[in-house]
Amino acid sequence: MYIFQHSPDLQDLERLQVLVNMAANNMALSVADNGHKYAISASSSPLTPVNMLAEMFDGMQQVKFLKELCEKGDWNDVCAKMSSIAAHVLVDTQFRCVLNATATGLQTASVAMDGFLSSVTGGIDGLPSCVEDENFISSSHKCHYQLPFPVNYCSSSVKSVHYSHPDSARLNILATLMTNKFLIKEIREKGGAYGAGARNSAGVFSFYSYRDPNTTETLKSFENCVKWAASGSFSDHDVDEAKLGVFSQVDSPVSPSDKGLTLFVRGIPDMLRQQQRDRLFAVTKESVVEVAKKYLEDENMMSSAVIGPENGSLTAENGWTIHSSNLQ
C-alpha cells in the first residue's frame, strides 16, 4: 500500500536494470517448461481482444519485448516511461477491492481497507464491468517462434464463446473428449509427443502439443480431430466419461484463501456456475457433434503457432511469420 500513498522512486537505474534482467531471464527460462501455454497464447492472440492483451503482457511478445529492452539498455528512457505509467496508474485511478477474512477479523480488515481507500485519490464510481475494443477485428495467423529447442510446442486455436453462452458447456465436454479419445492417441502415443490436448477457455477453443518431435503432422492431427468429432465417431459412453473429467475440475476443492475470487476476478456468480453445471449434465452426443461442426469446421478461421527449432516446412512462402530468437 505504501507505493500508492507515496511517489515511487524510479531513479535507481542499477536496481531497475537488475530487476528487468531478472524478469527477462525468468520468462525466457519458463518457455521450455511451459511452451504449450505460450503456443496457445500466440495462436489465440488474434482471435479476441482479451487474448491479444494476454499475449502482449504475458506471452511470447512479452518475452521478446523484455529481451529487446535488456539488449537496448537505455534505462533512462525506461525510467521516464515508467514514471509516466505510474502517474497514470497510481494517481486518480479506480480500484476494485476484495477482502477474504474470517468472521472475527472481517471488521478490522474492512476498517483498514476503508482507511487505505480514503487516502488515495480516485474511486469506483463509473468503473465498467468489462472493457471492449470496438475496433478489434478477429483474424487468424500462422507464426513460428524459432528457438534452439530439440522439440516443438504446437497450437491451433479458433474463436468460440464466452462462459455464459449455452454452447460453452458443450465445448468444454468436446475438449475433454478430444483430448482423451483422439489427441493423446494420435499425437502422444503415435507421434511421440510428451503431451497433447484441447481446451475451451476465454472465448477460444485451442489444440496443443507438448515437447513434440513433429510440427506439420501435429497440425494435421488437429484438423483430423475436428473431422473425427464432427462425424460423431465416438459413443455416448465416451461423452459420459468426458463429463466426469470436466466435473472433476468444476467441483474441485477451493482453498479458503481463493473463495470468492471467481466472482471478483471473472464476474461469475454462484447462480451462473450452477447453470453451467446443469448445462454440462444436459450435454449429449448429438449436441457435441453440433458444436464441433458449428465452431471448428471452418479451417480458414484456425490460427496456429509453433515454438521450436528451425523447420523447412514452416516458411513465409507457406504463410508463416517467422520470429527468430535465442532468448539469451
Side-chain angles (χ1 to χ4, degrees):
M1 293 184 182
Y2 178 89
I3 193 171
F4 290 98
Q5 295 173 289
H6 302 80
S7 299
D9 180 11
L10 300 175
Q11 304 306 314
D12 189 342
L13 300 185
E14 183 177 348
R15 177 61 174 165
L16 178 64
Q17 181 179 356
V18 170
L19 292 175
V20 175
N21 274 289
M22 286 177 57
N25 289 332
N26 289 338
M27 285 203 76
L29 292 173
S30 71
V31 175
D33 291 330
N34 300 285
H36 62 303
K37 295 180 180 179
Y38 283 99
I40 291 173
S41 177
S43 68
S44 62
S45 61
L47 300 176
T48 70
V50 170
N51 288 283
M52 178 191 67
L53 291 175
E55 169 65 12
M56 184 185 301
F57 295 132
D58 204 32
M60 289 302 298
Q61 287 186 25
Q62 181 68 193
V63 175
K64 185 178 179 181
F65 170 75
L66 287 176
K67 178 178 180 294
E68 293 173 348
L69 200 64
C70 293
E71 290 176 345
K72 186 178 180 181
D74 189 352
W75 302 110
N76 285 308
D77 180 63
V78 172
C79 280
K81 291 179 178 178
M82 289 185 64
S83 296
S84 297
I85 293 172
H88 178 72
V89 174
L90 306 181
V91 180
D92 285 330
T93 191
Q94 296 175 321
F95 293 90
R96 292 177 65 242
C97 303
V98 60
L99 286 176
N100 188 314
T102 62
T104 55
L106 185 59
Q107 180 62 33
T108 302
S110 297
V111 172
M113 180 62 71
D114 289 339
F116 161 64
L117 292 176
S118 64
S119 68
V120 181
T121 47
I124 62 173
D125 294 338
L127 185 65
S129 58
C130 62
V131 178
E132 297 182 0
D133 185 354
E134 297 179 353
N135 298 319
F136 183 86
I137 300 177
S138 181
S139 61
S140 63
H141 69 190
K142 294 190 291 185
C143 63
H144 181 204
Y145 285 90
Q146 292 183 349
L147 298 175
F149 295 160
V151 291
N152 302 281
Y153 303 88
C154 308
S155 177
S156 290
S157 298
V158 65
K159 187 176 180 180
S160 62
V161 295
H162 52 77
Y163 181 89
S164 61
H165 193 283
D167 286 340
S168 175
R170 300 170 182 175
L171 288 166
N172 290 343
I173 299 294
L174 174 62
T176 301
L177 180 68
M178 286 177 157
T179 298
N180 296 334
K181 297 301 178 180
F182 189 95
L183 295 171
I184 289 179
K185 292 180 180 179
E186 294 296 321
I187 298 177
R188 179 176 178 177
E189 297 176 6
K190 295 181 182 180
Y194 193 83
R199 73 174 198 179
N200 180 57
S201 177
V204 169
F205 192 98
S206 299
F207 302 91
Y208 64 88
S209 69
Y210 181 73
R211 293 187 177 177
D212 191 348
N214 305 305
T215 52
T216 54
E217 298 87 346
T218 295
L219 297 175
K220 187 63 178 178
S221 292
F222 294 158
E223 296 176 6
N224 291 337
C225 185
V226 174
K227 296 176 182 177
W228 171 83
S231 66
S233 301
F234 51 89
S235 65
D236 292 325
H237 179 68
D238 294 334
V239 175
D240 291 337
E241 286 185 345
K243 287 183 181 181
L244 291 175
V246 172
F247 272 108
S248 68
Q249 300 174 7
V250 171
D251 292 329
S252 60
V254 179
S255 64
S257 61
D258 288 338
K259 288 185 177 180
L261 288 184
T262 300
L263 174 61
F264 179 75
V265 176
R266 301 181 60 192
I268 300 176
D270 290 341
M271 180 182 67
L272 187 56
R273 293 178 63 193
Q274 182 58 49
Q275 185 183 62
Q276 183 77 339
R277 290 189 182 93
D278 295 339
R279 288 171 174 170
L280 289 169
F281 271 119
V283 172
T284 63
K285 175 182 176 180
E286 291 73 22
S287 63
V288 170
V289 171
E290 179 185 343
V291 293
K293 293 180 178 179
K294 183 177 180 180
Y295 295 101
L296 306 183
E297 277 196 322
D298 187 358
E299 296 180 3
N300 292 326
M301 290 307 296
M302 191 75 76
S303 181
S304 299
V306 173
I307 299 174
E310 185 176 350
N311 189 313
S313 300
L314 310 179
T315 63
E317 290 75 15
N318 293 329
W320 288 83
T321 301
I322 311 300
H323 303 275
S324 300
S325 176
N326 59 14
L327 298 184
Q328 298 299 318

